[in-house]
């Protein structure tokens, strides 16, 4: 959690429809938590020694100008949704992951689109998005599917995921929604009910008004079953546990990777 007085919700701005959805989700989330929106575009071309200057005599040309246009478009998207929101923006030279890691030091949450960090970014959902979550100084949200679903907060149970459970309770309280717990696929009904009771007791101590309405047991840990477990949820909260052997990586269980790649709803990765 950041120590800033007004929570800053930072979103990576890139040239893709998924990134536009991330801007919309981030603007709404900033409104819900009483924060402000910060738009960041990582300008990678200077790192690649590409000429970014305008073409002489051609108004509006040049890659740098295009980057400024992306930010302006993102501001317009956010303003259309939340005209009262305080919005700031930056174009920062550098590669997306280190740029957003740097921005995370002053942020409540970092938000990126469902294809990772833009079109470079089919390769980033996977190891790169997990690296961002592991290195960031705050939680990371990957906006996937429909970001406007009015459903419960889904919580994927993790035996060492206390931070994720408390974050799910905080989000449920802010959004006025219940929590739906998702147990491990290898849990039987008795164990699932035990986990449900444990989570209910834990959340009742800090957020007594939040309802944990039930528990879902996926039939298996296959992508299809895990995605079905998230159907109808407004977002899924998962624990990101650091790999003890590599400080810049998350020890990503298959469940986390599967949800990040296939869920039809925004995925909130809470760092342990």
């Amino acid at each position: 959690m950041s120590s800033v007085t007004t929570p800053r919700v930072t979103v990576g701005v890139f040239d893709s429809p998924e990134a536009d959805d991330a801007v919309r989700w981030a603007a709404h989330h900033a409104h819900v938590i009483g924060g402000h929106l910060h738009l960041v575009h990582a300008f990678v071309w200077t790192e690649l020694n590409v000429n970014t200057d305008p073409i002489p005599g051609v108004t509006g040309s040049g890659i740098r100008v295009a980057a400024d246009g992306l930010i302006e478009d993102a501001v317009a998207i956010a303003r259309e949704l939340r005209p009262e929101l305080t919005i700031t923006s930056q174009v920062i030279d550098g590669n997306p992951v280190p740029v957003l890691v740097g921005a995370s030091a002053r942020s409540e949450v970092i938000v990126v689109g469902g294809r990772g960090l833009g079109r470079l970014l089919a390769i980033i959902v996977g190891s790169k998005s997990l690296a961002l979550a592991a290195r960031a100084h705050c939680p990371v949200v990957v906006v996937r599917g429909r970001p406007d679903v009015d459903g419960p907060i889904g919580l994927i149970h993790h035996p060492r995921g206390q931070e994720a459970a408390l974050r799910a309770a905080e989000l449920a309280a802010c959004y006025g929604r219940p929590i739906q717990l998702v147990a491990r696929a290898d849990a039987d009904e008795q164990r699932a009910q035990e986990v449900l009771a444990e989570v209910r007791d834990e959340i009742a101590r800090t957020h007594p008004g939040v309802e944990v309405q039930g528990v879902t047991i996926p039939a298996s840990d296959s992508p299809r079953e895990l995605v079905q477990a998230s159907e109808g949820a407004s977002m899924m909260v998962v624990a990101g546990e650091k790999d003890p052997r590599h400080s810049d990586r998350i020890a990503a269980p298959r469940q986390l990777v599967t949800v990040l790649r296939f869920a039809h709803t925004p995925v909130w990765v809470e760092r342990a």
Side-chain angles (χ1 to χ4, degrees), residues 8 23 27 39 46 48 54-55 58-59 75 83 94-95 97 116 126 138 147 149 151 164 187 206 218 224-225 259-260:
R8 173 187 283 188
V23 171
L39 306 170
T46 52
L48 303 177
I55 300 172
V58 180
T59 302
V75 170
N95 289 300
V97 170
C138 66
V149 174
T206 57
R224 175 178 294 180
E225 294 295 336
V259 170
L260 269 178

Side-chain angles (χ1 to χ4, degrees), residues 119-251:
R119 293 199 187 280
L120 281 170
L121 306 184
I123 62 170
I124 293 211
V125 163
S127 62
K128 294 292 185 177
S129 63
L130 291 170
L132 173 61
R135 294 170 55 193
H137 304 286
C138 66
V140 172
V141 174
V142 180
V143 177
R144 300 186 53 81
R146 291 187 56 195
D148 58 349
V149 174
D150 188 18
I153 305 296
L155 170 62
I156 300 210
H157 178 255
H158 188 288
R160 294 179 297 278
Q162 183 181 28
E163 293 91 347
L166 294 178
R167 178 68 71 177
E170 179 183 301
L171 291 167
C174 287
Y175 281 83
R177 293 171 185 165
I179 291 173
Q180 179 67 28
L181 185 64
V182 179
R184 292 173 58 93
D186 58 4
D188 58 24
E189 184 62 33
Q190 179 179 346
R191 178 55 187 153
Q193 291 302 318
E194 291 171 353
V195 168
L196 177 61
E198 292 167 4
V199 171
R200 279 176 170 162
D201 288 345
E202 182 179 349
I203 289 176
R205 287 193 291 271
T206 57
H207 297 80
V210 170
E211 175 193 3
V212 184
Q213 62 183 16
V215 59
T216 300
I217 308 173
S220 71
D221 62 357
S222 71
R224 175 178 294 180
E225 294 295 336
L226 288 171
V227 167
Q228 285 181 348
S230 72
E231 291 293 340
S234 58
M235 73 180 82
M236 299 297 292
V237 179
V238 294
E241 183 180 358
K242 273 196 171 185
D243 186 333
R245 298 167 300 175
H246 303 281
S247 61
D248 63 341
R249 299 181 189 173
I250 281 182

Side-chain angles (χ1 to χ4, degrees), residues 38-96:
H38 186 58
L39 306 170
V40 173
H41 175 66
F43 193 70
V44 70
W45 303 109
T46 52
E47 301 286 313
L48 303 177
N49 295 319
V50 173
N51 180 13
T52 64
D53 296 331
I55 300 172
V58 180
T59 302
S61 62
I63 303 175
R64 177 75 66 173
V65 172
D68 292 336
L70 281 177
I71 286 286
E72 292 170 4
D73 290 346
V75 170
I77 289 170
R79 285 267 180 249
E80 181 179 7
L81 183 66
R82 293 293 173 189
E84 78 290 349
L85 200 62
T86 299
I87 301 175
T88 55
S89 63
Q90 285 179 288
V91 176
I92 302 176
D93 289 351
N95 289 300

